[in-house]
Amino acid sequence: MKVALGADHGGYHLKNNIKDFIIKLGHEVIDVGCDCSDSVDYPDYAIPVCEKVLNGDADKGILICGTGIGMSIAANKYPGIRCALVHDTFSAKATREHNDTNVLAMGERVIGPGLAIDIVKIWIETEFSNEERHVNRINKMNTIEKEATIHP
């Protein structure tokens, strides 16, 4: 599996821990940065991760910032991206089984590296259930993406 990985300055250290862990699991990592703790803008790293997932260069994406909130908001602007902000193992499993998420967001200032690694392992290894009720819900979200318009 190929995993695109991106972080801003607030997630830089956790990104490096997760990168090493994903490689130890035997997966390939596409690291889009950032590579420093200097202030940068999270959308600049959410964009290439989402594009790599959407164009098939990566199977999944992981985004990390200080809280995970900004990254998840930026990622979910892309039609076809289902990004979940996760800070516990139950949600990591549920968001894959029920929502077929293709991008995971986490906050370095919210969780430590041990929990983050547990979340990543569960999220990567959990398959979508393909249960009819979950497929129907995802199809409804896809319809919203296609039909949503701005109302004055």
Side-chain angles (χ1 to χ4, degrees), residues 4-143:
L5 184 59
D8 71 359
H9 59 284
Y12 163 69
H13 297 290
L14 186 57
K15 175 186 70 94
N16 291 333
N17 291 336
I18 289 170
K19 179 179 179 177
D20 293 341
F21 177 71
I22 293 170
I23 292 168
K24 285 179 186 174
L25 287 177
H27 303 293
E28 182 180 336
V29 173
I30 304 167
D31 185 344
V32 304
C34 83
D35 296 319
C36 65
S37 56
D38 298 335
S39 183
V40 296
D41 298 330
Y42 57 82
D44 295 339
Y45 301 92
I47 291 167
V49 166
C50 292
E51 289 177 349
K52 289 187 182 310
V53 170
L54 290 172
N55 71 23
D57 289 341
D59 300 297
K60 294 181 179 170
I62 298 175
L63 297 167
I64 307 160
C65 63
T67 63
I69 296 168
M71 285 291 202
S72 64
I73 292 170
N76 282 312
K77 298 295 182 187
Y78 279 87
I81 293 294
R82 286 181 305 283
C83 178
L85 173 59
V86 174
H87 292 132
D88 64 89
T89 57
F90 175 80
S91 297
K93 185 173 179 68
T95 195
R96 284 289 307 130
E97 285 182 342
H98 297 188
N99 309 114
D100 196 20
T101 54
N102 51 11
V103 177
L104 171 69
M106 294 184 291
E108 180 177 321
R109 296 175 185 153
V110 178
I111 59 173
L115 178 55
I117 285 170
D118 290 345
I119 289 168
V120 167
K121 183 174 182 359
I122 290 166
W123 186 78
I124 284 176
E125 293 178 352
T126 301
E127 295 293 326
F128 177 52
S129 72
N130 280 304
E131 289 180 29
E132 184 178 352
R133 64 189 173 125
H134 299 306
V135 170
N136 289 341
R137 292 169 186 162
I138 290 170
N139 288 338
K140 286 182 179 186
M141 287 188 288
N142 291 340
T143 299

